[in-house]
Amino acid sequence: MIKIIHMVINRCNQIRWNNLKWKKIGESYVGKDFTVVSPERISIGDKFYAENNLSLQAWTKYQNQIFTPEIEIGDNVSMMGNCQISCCNRIIIGDGCLFGDNVFITDNFHGDNSREQLKIPPINRPLDVRGEVRIGKNVWVGRNVCIMPGVSIGDGAVIGANAVVTKDIPAFSVAVGVPAKVINV
């Protein structure tokens, strides 16, 4: 009986996902408890797979700021549980990428970290957009990785678990650490 209930819940979840008004959506599967902000600004290719608690946020407005975000996810992309993308500008993910649990990708910050803004509660600071994020094809991003604004990651790169990517990572390299540094090219 419990198995049947879970099947019904999963089916209802898929129907809700497929009924969103996407810019473009291919064949996809997403786990339960997902969040999507502005699906009309999000393109997802074929064979997209995401586990539970996916959050895709394309922010068109924050306080009195207006944005025109674009999230583009290629074909054959897999995201494990609790992945989050926060976009005010542009985030592009190439075909064949694999993301571990708890990956966070953003092109914005709450404020610019000036002394004046640090006196304001973070939620009240304007969003500071720092440039688009580009992730090439066949990139493997490990568990608990943060990919920060204005970063490009080349095709075939590997980003080790718990890394914080603050600078570009070349194609076919391995990067680890906080901040992420290339250890193998």
Side-chain angles (χ1 to χ4, degrees):
M1 180 67 162
I2 291 175
K3 189 174 183 178
I4 292 171
I5 292 170
H6 284 286
M7 287 172 51
V8 169
I9 290 170
N10 286 341
R11 182 68 185 132
C12 290
N13 192 57
Q14 254 338 103
I15 290 169
R16 188 168 68 94
W17 172 264
N18 290 330
N19 284 338
L20 292 172
K21 302 216 181 309
W22 301 96
K23 181 175 183 180
K24 175 189 166 214
I25 185 79
E27 176 188 340
S28 58
Y29 170 83
V30 66
K32 66 179 182 174
D33 299 328
F34 60 83
T35 301
V36 178
V37 175
S38 303
E40 70 280 2
R41 312 275 325 158
I42 302 171
S43 299
I44 299 176
D46 276 333
K47 298 181 182 167
F48 174 73
Y49 172 85
E51 289 188 356
N52 297 342
N53 303 312
L54 173 69
S55 182
L56 301 176
Q57 304 162 339
W59 299 108
T60 57
K61 184 175 182 184
Y62 184 78
Q63 296 175 357
N64 62 349
Q65 296 174 281
I66 304 295
F67 304 104
T68 55
E70 293 179 58
I71 298 174
E72 297 176 21
I73 299 173
D75 297 334
N76 300 304
V77 172
S78 295
M79 295 184 166
M80 299 304 106
N82 304 306
C83 288
Q84 179 182 359
I85 297 174
S86 175
C87 178
C88 291
N89 182 10
R90 191 168 190 210
I91 295 175
I92 300 169
I93 297 171
D95 298 341
C97 291
L98 173 62
F99 297 86
D101 291 310
N102 307 315
V103 170
F104 175 62
I105 305 167
T106 186
D107 66 3
N108 61 84
F109 293 117
H110 279 271
D112 62 13
N113 297 328
S114 65
R115 183 174 279 302
E116 294 75 33
Q117 286 202 3
L118 292 176
K119 294 175 186 176
I120 302 169
I123 196 72
N124 295 331
R125 297 177 195 159
L127 292 180
D128 185 23
V129 180
R130 299 276 177 104
E132 66 183 44
V133 173
R134 290 183 173 269
I135 300 171
K137 294 179 181 179
N138 303 317
V139 173
W140 179 15
V141 177
R143 176 183 299 243
N144 302 319
V145 169
C146 293
I147 299 173
M148 305 312 286
V151 168
S152 290
I153 299 174
D155 293 347
V158 176
I159 310 299
N162 302 308
V164 177
V165 181
T166 60
K167 293 188 166 96
D168 292 352
I169 304 297
F172 308 107
S173 63
V174 176
V176 298
V178 180
K181 294 189 186 327
V182 175
I183 61 168
N184 175 354
V185 179

